[in-house]
Amino acid sequence: MSPLPGLLLFLATIAVMEGVAYAAHRWIMHGPGWFLHASHHRPRTGPFEANDLYAVIFAIPSILLLLAGVQLGWGAGYAWVGAGVAAYGAIYFGFHDVIVHRRIGHRYVPRGRYMKRIVQAHRLHHAVETKGGTLSFGFLVAPSPESLKAELVRRGRAGVRAARDA
């Protein structure tokens, strides 16, 4: 496979992964996988939480695709897709774990409209601490914070975390 089709496949995979991540977050992590994900909706007491196992689980397809494409002779397309899945994972880690949850210290403050929007949408997702009633399951594409706040009000603020004492 020549580089241009491979690069297009890589970029398409990153775009498709947003939909895969949305579905996994909404219907697996906030469904039968809540037993792991619940730790992410509570204050962390150490450097790791049970939810971190999802990073390992979601890395497996990427590793297998890379292995199939590079070592098992399935074709370069598999390697490009595996690399796209890995790239989405790296983008996710940078946005979710570093920027939003500050699991690695930094001084970055989102200033652009897009970054402010996705950070605030994810924080509104975490305003609900229960399995159900959450909103905004995407990571790189998110509804406006105003629409999310209106939806929380419409739902009667069910499951919304109590405000911390100042």
Side-chain angles (χ1 to χ4, degrees), residues 28-39 41 54 129-131:
I28 295 173
M29 297 166 116
H30 281 264
W34 180 252
F35 71 99
L36 292 176
H37 190 59
S39 67
H41 283 261
Y54 279 118
E129 58 188 354
T130 58
K131 177 179 174 179

Side-chain angles (χ1 to χ4, degrees), residues 9-22 88:
L9 187 56
F10 171 80
L11 294 172
T13 300
I14 292 172
V16 167
M17 282 305 299
E18 177 67 5
V20 171
Y22 177 97
Y88 183 85

Side-chain angles (χ1 to χ4, degrees), residues 18 22 26 95 113-125 134-152 155:
E18 177 67 5
Y22 177 97
R26 182 167 188 173
F95 163 69
R113 283 180 35 206
Y114 170 73
M115 287 302 291
K116 284 181 180 180
R117 178 184 182 123
I118 62 173
V119 168
Q120 191 169 15
H122 194 72
R123 289 192 176 139
L124 286 166
H125 170 79
T134 0
L135 36 75
S136 188
F137 296 92
F139 296 105
L140 303 178
V141 177
S144 72
E146 296 76 25
S147 67
L148 295 173
K149 289 175 187 175
E151 179 62 19
L152 285 174
R155 294 178 182 184

